Each structure stands twice: as C-alpha cells, then as structure tokens.
Amino acid sequence: MKKFFKKVANYCKACYDELAHKTTWPTWAQLTHSAVVVLSASLVIALIVFCMDSVFRALMSAIYPS
C-alpha cells in the first residue's frame, strides 16, 4: 500500500513539473486572438447552417405543400 501512495505522489510531482516548467502558456494577446477566431468561425458556420436549413425548408415546402 505504501508503494501505491509513493507512485501517486511521484505522478503528482511529475504533473506539476510538466505544467509549471515545460508547458508554454499563451500570452493574453494570443489567447484573445484565438478566441476571436473561434467565435468568428462558429458564427460563420452557424450562418451557413441557417441558410442551408432555410433553402431545404423552402424546397420541401414546394415539393410537399401542406
């Protein structure tokens, strides 16, 4: 059982070392730029899906009038 806790402690230390010393974190400018890119792409994709839905709805209404 003691060996298990030692393995867990070593794992936690390795994780901390990786996050604190080996990981490169983005700057605030890089982070905001990435967020703007993701939001813009999401908006464009949402508009494309909306347009496709509208076209298909119009086609289905023309084919199957109610």
Side-chain angles (χ1 to χ4, degrees):
M1 192 66 160
K2 199 173 187 182
K3 201 174 194 182
F4 172 75
F5 288 118
K6 190 166 189 125
K7 283 184 180 182
V8 171
N10 286 338
Y11 174 76
C12 292
K13 287 177 187 176
C15 288
Y16 173 78
D17 186 48
E18 180 81 24
L19 286 173
H21 304 293
K22 297 179 184 176
T23 303
T24 55
W25 297 98
T27 63
W28 183 254
Q30 292 171 332
L31 193 63
T32 54
H33 180 263
S34 295
V36 168
V37 168
V38 168
L39 289 172
S40 300
S42 298
L43 181 63
V44 168
I45 291 170
L47 288 173
I48 290 170
V49 170
F50 175 76
C51 291
M52 290 173 62
D53 184 51
S54 298
V55 168
F56 289 138
R57 184 179 20 188
L59 284 172
M60 291 297 116
S61 294
I63 294 172
Y64 302 111
S66 46

